[in-house]
Amino acid sequence: MAHYWAHGPTVNEKERQELTAEMRAFGATDEDIENYLKANTAEEDCIVIEENWPVLQWFLAIDDQFEYVQGVCTGIDIASIQADVQMSAREYTPEQYKHLRFLTKCVTRELNSRLEK
C-alpha cells in the first residue's frame, strides 16, 4: 500500500517482493497477495483488504501530516495525528493505530527511497 501511494502500481520484482512483505505484515493471506499482484497493473485500481479499509481512510485523511527536514521525510507528526483524531471525533482501535504507524513508516521509507536514486 505504501509503495502504491508513493509510486503508483508495482512494476518490477523487487517492488513486488517488498509489497508482498508489507501485505503479509497486514495479515494478507497468500491468496490475497496472489490476487492483488495479478490485478496490480497500471490499468487497475489498488485493492484493499476490507479489514484494512478504516486504516487506509485514516491514512488518506492525515497524509498531509508528514514532516520533512532538509528534504528528508522523518515520518508523520504524531501529535498532529492525535489532535486530528480528537478534533474530528473519529475513533480508532489500538490495532488500527498500529497498522497506521506501520503504513506511515513504509511510506516514509518509500518517499526517502526517491532520494537514493
Side-chain angles (χ1 to χ4, degrees), residues 1-10 15 18-19 22 36 46 56 59-60 63 66 68 73 103-115 117:
M1 179 58 52
H3 180 85
Y4 193 92
W5 181 86
H7 303 289
T10 303
E15 291 173 353
E18 290 172 356
L19 178 63
E22 259 183 52
Y36 177 79
C46 179
L56 178 59
F59 171 77
L60 294 173
D63 69 353
F66 283 92
Y68 292 83
C73 182
L103 179 55
T104 59
K105 287 177 183 181
C106 292
V107 168
T108 299
R109 183 184 69 237
E110 290 296 331
L111 291 170
N112 289 332
S113 73
R114 297 175 182 175
L115 301 173
K117 294 180 180 179

Side-chain angles (χ1 to χ4, degrees), residues 16 20 23-24 28-40 47:
R16 292 171 78 81
T20 297
M23 290 179 74
R24 280 206 172 91
T29 65
D30 288 340
E31 182 180 350
D32 293 330
I33 294 168
E34 181 180 337
N35 290 337
Y36 177 79
L37 292 175
K38 283 181 184 176
N40 187 9
I47 297 171

Side-chain angles (χ1 to χ4, degrees), residues 58 62 65 78-92:
W58 188 8
I62 57 92
Q65 299 297 317
I78 298 297
S80 293
I81 304 308
Q82 183 179 24
D84 179 72
V85 167
Q86 291 171 342
M87 294 180 76
S88 65
R90 290 189 296 254
E91 293 185 17
Y92 297 100

